[in-house]
Amino acid sequence: MFANKVSLADASEKLSQHHKEFLLLFQNGTLEVELYKPHLVDKQTPHDRDEVYIIATGEATFELEGKTTDVRTGDFLFVPAYAAHKFTTLSEDFSTWVLFFGPVVIEE
């Protein structure tokens, strides 16, 4: 086993065994890596750290601060701390890697 590797297949299997829409899979310093699979509705709220999404499976529409774009497997998205954002029009197989990093940002 390679300790610094998380496969999509393993992450999806672990997530399917929980009742949450996301699961923390790796942590090192300020980096946290999750797999997120919302059930047709994205209920998340803005976060206090910068965030990256890498779409793992499926497709959706992504809204960031009132602007929208279509996303699909392989796309990369950056979301600054406290920015209003969500996924809409999710395909049934939609899932995304979520990477939180850096310090907690104090909103002024």
Side-chain angles (χ1 to χ4, degrees):
M1 175 186 248
F2 190 73
N4 296 329
K5 175 185 175 184
V6 180
S7 74
L8 180 57
D10 288 345
S12 295
E13 176 62 27
K14 287 178 184 176
L15 181 59
S16 73
Q17 296 171 6
H18 289 55
H19 299 289
K20 295 192 262 182
E21 296 178 332
F22 64 91
L23 183 64
L24 178 64
L25 297 159
F26 180 84
Q27 189 170 21
N28 184 31
T30 67
L31 174 65
E32 293 181 354
V33 177
E34 300 176 351
L35 186 64
Y36 178 51
K37 184 173 178 50
H39 302 290
L40 301 178
V41 176
D42 182 359
K43 302 173 197 165
Q44 67 179 322
T45 58
H47 309 286
D48 60 3
R49 297 192 322 161
D50 289 339
E51 175 179 22
V52 165
Y53 293 102
I54 301 170
I55 309 306
T57 57
E59 53 191 41
T61 300
F62 183 70
E63 295 180 12
L64 175 63
E65 298 285 299
K67 296 181 181 177
T68 62
T69 188
D70 293 331
V71 296
R72 67 168 145 229
T73 302
D75 287 350
F76 168 96
L77 300 162
F78 172 75
V79 178
Y82 294 104
H85 65 284
K86 64 181 175 180
F87 293 97
T88 61
T89 318
L90 307 162
S91 64
E92 287 189 28
D93 64 338
F94 178 81
S95 67
T96 185
W97 293 106
V98 183
L99 291 75
F100 291 102
F101 62 95
V104 169
V105 175
I106 305 301
E107 190 174 41
E108 295 180 22

